[in-house]
Amino acid sequence: MNADRGVWAWPPPSPVRTREQHPFAPAVVPGGESYHRLGRTSWYRWWTPLLTLAVLGVLVFFLWVAMALAVTLVAVLGGSGLAPESVRVGEIAGLAFGLITAALFIPITVFLVRVVQWRRVGSLISVEGRARSRWLLRCAALAVVPVALATAAYVPLAGRFGLEPVSAEAAGGGRVLLAALFVIALLVPFQSLAEELTLRGLVMQLVGALGARPAEAGGSGAVARVLRSPWPAVLAGGTLFPAIYASTHPGMPWTTAALAVLGLALSWLTWRTGGLEAAIGLHVVSALVQFTLTVLAGGITAIGTGVVVGAGLAPGAGTPLVLALTVAQTGLYALLVRRAARRAGVHRVSAA
């Protein structure tokens, strides 16, 4: 054709396809929503939570089988028999296996979010779709203050509750203590991250996604309005682990209460700051201190008997001291984080 009438290219150019239009693109995360609502994406259906829980159950079963086989293999190589009652591993190996088992929930939650729910993993981290590194480091720095104060208060009060430190020889020797501290420093951050991704991330967003939007069918009802609010998600993310712990440790009411306080505070901070960074910051710092103090106060065997529950509690689990210190520690941390988030202008909702 001539220049006045334009020139047609042949074959015609293919239309540009955006990422969201691609059939295998991740689901579109809703805009203008709080953190707990990010799971109700464009691909969300009523059966999405059921499928997620079903796949989670299958993956946890295979994780349990794999870790049982690994423990048995290590025990046999160490001279243990194959009979269930004779399978034993060393204290350091037991500590490592426990932390690794919890840490493996990181790939499990990533798989559930990316493959089962078919959305970007970043939506599990924050409303910005990514880990806000500076905010995470700031939260970890803020956590040092309440954790240090709780630890300082624990030292003079521990004797009243029979929580006296043990010598290196009583704990198995200096090398054993150093090995335990190395395992703690190496694996506890991953264990803490896994718990936050699962409880404050996956669980909160599963519950938060249940309520229909106002424009959807049934979205104007009272039930949908309640489910859209943050409180069902906060309660689920904060009380699930304490409920499990209470069922397996019925004689530890103080620890259960402290876990509930800690879980609810971290769930509220996750909603209030629009991401997991605040919960991860306190969890990692407090868990490192708690595991270390437990090893020094009761030996490595205390970890295997349930004194350490891996949730970043203040020291002194099993006594009223743990509840008092947890309330003070989490309360001060929540105030510091809320003030810092307001000054830093941390986003609480996803971009439109």
Side-chain angles (χ1 to χ4, degrees), residues 198-348:
T198 305
L199 297 173
R200 257 61 68 180
L202 185 65
V203 171
M204 282 188 64
Q205 291 186 348
L206 275 177
V207 176
L210 294 177
R213 298 189 183 93
E216 297 175 344
S220 59
V223 174
R225 291 197 299 271
V226 171
L227 292 176
R228 286 198 304 267
S229 71
W231 307 118
V234 169
L235 287 174
T239 60
L240 177 60
F241 186 78
I244 296 174
Y245 184 84
S247 64
T248 56
H249 299 79
M252 302 282 283
W254 296 110
T255 303
T256 301
L259 282 170
V261 170
L262 177 67
L264 290 172
L266 294 183
S267 297
W268 180 81
L269 283 174
T270 298
W271 165 75
R272 183 66 177 74
T273 61
L276 295 175
E277 296 90 350
I280 294 173
L282 178 61
H283 199 147
V284 171
V285 174
S286 186
L288 285 171
V289 173
Q290 185 213 3
F291 271 86
T292 301
L293 287 177
T294 302
V295 169
L296 296 177
I300 304 170
T301 55
I303 297 178
T305 57
V307 175
V308 172
V309 294
L313 289 177
T319 68
L321 181 61
V322 66
L323 179 59
L325 292 180
T326 300
V327 170
Q329 178 176 286
T330 55
L332 177 58
Y333 180 72
L335 292 175
L336 294 175
V337 169
R338 183 179 179 182
R339 181 180 180 184
R342 189 185 303 113
R343 289 186 173 184
V346 176
H347 292 167
R348 297 177 56 184

Side-chain angles (χ1 to χ4, degrees), residues 148-161:
L149 292 176
T151 304
Y154 163 78
V155 173
L157 295 174
R160 298 185 179 182
F161 295 91

